[in-house]
Amino acid sequence: PAAKGGQLYWLGAVLAAVSNVALGTTIVFYNSYLPLLVDATPEVIEARQSGDQEEWEQTRDRFDAAYSQKGNAIGYAGGSSALVICVVISFLGQSLGFTMLLSLCVFVSGLWWFIFSTVSFRWICERPGSTKALEGATARDLVLYGWRSTIDTMKHARSHRQTWAFLLLYFFFSDGYSTIATVAAVFAQHEMCFPITEVTILAIVVPFCAMLGCLFFMWVRNHFKVSFKTLLLWNLLLMALIPIWGVVGFFTDKVGLRTKAEFWIVAVLYGLNLGSAQSFARSMFGDLIPAGHEAGYFSLYEVTDKGSSWLGPLVTAIVIWTTGSIRYSLIYLIIVMIVPAALLHYCVDFELGKKQAGRINSKVREEVALARTGAAPAPASA
């Protein structure tokens, strides 16, 4: 049995690669639905048809924030629930052995995806579209279509300066807040000697707090009328406090990610801002996408996100290898969070970007809205 299991390591690697590609693809379409659902909201349609530009913008922004934040909150709630189920299985079935427990948890995760994906497929309506791009396509064309589409979208995006600038900054700060979790987990296990039980509880606390953070910052936006950009900046800066506080540990052995209590506080702070930052970044980018190009641009958005996932772990590995301490990687995290946030504030004009993308152009808006109901073709460009 051991030899047979060893021979199947390659299958695990293949399945991991396939599942990650499938996950990335689903996230593209999941994100692409956001502007479509917002524009299909009855209140937004009514505001658009009234001809009142200001009312339409305010109504659309309100539902945009609500859908994005609530969607992320529900997603994190679902993720937390699945994780709790796996934890319960692990505690109740300790006699089964680690391998069997891990297999059961993987099965539960797959079953969870299957059940709720099926529900989504039944409830979500299809978006009217065109199949002309693939008419007469060969097998080679089908294989290369995605790559060509992404390259074409990159060329198109470069003509929209604010959108392109946001994507470049997103490449770095998305890597920053992802790497914070990786570094914190390594800290907890190797520096603080957290037992696996406490690490698991930390893993549940983060998505639970992310759910609460989405709801809290949505309330802040609605109550104080704060822009997507401002709230995203606050989320990034608040998460940057984590590595900044860790740097304090260079000068004292009492605080600065030196105690377990600090890690519980870090988990809560990180979770409260993570889900919200992801939601506001998605909403902000959605408003910077040229009208009618949502799927292509959100594909590029996902490529940008996953394309930077190697950067933080690589820098962290190099830092550990050269210094013998993971604490020095906190300096990288400070830079990758603070610098993009500053550039986002000073170099990305959100309102100008929306205008360039046709998001506040009444003619383009009406054409795209009609196309989404199947009444007219979408504009070729914006």
Side-chain angles (χ1 to χ4, degrees), residues 143-160:
V143 171
L144 297 178
Y145 179 78
W147 292 101
R148 289 173 176 170
S149 177
T150 300
I151 293 172
D152 290 342
T153 302
M154 290 179 67
K155 293 177 180 178
H156 191 269
R158 294 187 67 177
S159 64
H160 293 79

Side-chain angles (χ1 to χ4, degrees), residues 43-44 46-48 50-62:
E43 290 86 348
V44 175
E46 183 179 348
R48 186 187 74 241
S50 71
D52 188 327
Q53 176 77 12
E54 184 176 354
E55 180 188 356
W56 174 78
E57 288 188 29
Q58 291 178 352
T59 304
R60 192 183 186 284
D61 281 353
R62 185 174 74 252

Side-chain angles (χ1 to χ4, degrees), residues 169-361:
L169 296 177
Y170 179 72
F171 177 89
F172 291 102
F173 71 71
S174 66
D175 170 64
Y177 58 60
S178 297
T179 307
I180 286 176
T182 302
V183 171
V186 175
F187 252 103
Q189 290 183 286
H190 295 280
E191 299 287 327
M192 300 305 304
C193 299
F194 268 63
I196 189 63
T197 303
E198 291 187 46
V199 173
T200 303
I201 296 174
L202 279 172
I204 296 175
V205 167
V206 170
F208 179 75
C209 288
M211 175 193 69
L212 297 179
C214 288
L215 299 176
F216 171 73
F217 283 103
M218 182 176 65
W219 174 84
V220 171
R221 170 172 166 76
N222 293 337
H223 190 74
F224 297 102
K225 309 301 180 185
V226 187
S227 68
F228 293 145
K229 181 177 176 180
T230 299
L231 287 169
L232 175 57
L233 288 173
W234 274 108
N235 289 145
L236 296 179
L237 293 176
L238 286 171
M239 282 191 284
L241 290 177
I242 296 172
I244 291 173
W245 181 248
V247 169
V248 174
F250 280 116
F251 308 102
T252 175
D253 58 0
K254 297 185 182 299
V255 294
L257 299 184
R258 295 286 189 180
T259 66
K260 285 189 175 183
E262 290 175 285
F263 276 89
W264 290 107
I265 295 173
V266 162
V268 172
L269 177 63
Y270 178 73
L272 287 174
N273 287 279
L274 175 63
S276 181
Q278 291 172 332
S279 296
F280 287 128
R282 179 175 60 186
S283 294
M284 188 173 176
F285 182 69
D287 280 345
L288 294 174
I289 295 175
H293 294 263
E294 289 81 9
Y297 270 74
F298 270 119
S299 295
L300 187 57
Y301 183 77
E302 183 65 13
V303 168
T304 303
D305 183 19
K306 293 295 184 288
S308 66
S309 61
W310 57 270
L311 184 59
L314 175 62
V315 172
T316 301
I318 293 174
V319 167
I320 296 175
W321 181 59
T322 55
T323 67
S325 172
I326 193 174
R327 191 172 293 273
Y328 287 95
S329 64
L330 298 175
I331 298 173
Y332 164 76
L333 291 176
I334 294 173
I335 295 172
V336 85
M337 295 297 289
I338 297 293
V339 173
L343 293 175
L344 180 64
H345 177 67
Y346 291 107
C347 300
V348 177
D349 188 329
F350 187 37
E351 295 303 319
L352 176 60
K354 288 169 64 176
K355 183 178 180 181
Q356 291 176 342
R359 290 291 168 184
I360 55 177
N361 182 297

Side-chain angles (χ1 to χ4, degrees), residues 8 27 32 35-36 40 50 71 83 87-88 101 106 164 168 170 175 183 205 210 225 255 290 301 308 351 358 374 382:
L8 291 177
I27 291 176
S32 299
L36 309 181
S50 71
L83 188 56
V87 170
V88 171
L101 287 175
V106 171
W164 185 248
L168 291 178
Y170 179 72
D175 170 64
V183 171
V205 167
K225 309 301 180 185
V255 294
Y301 183 77
S308 66
E351 295 303 319

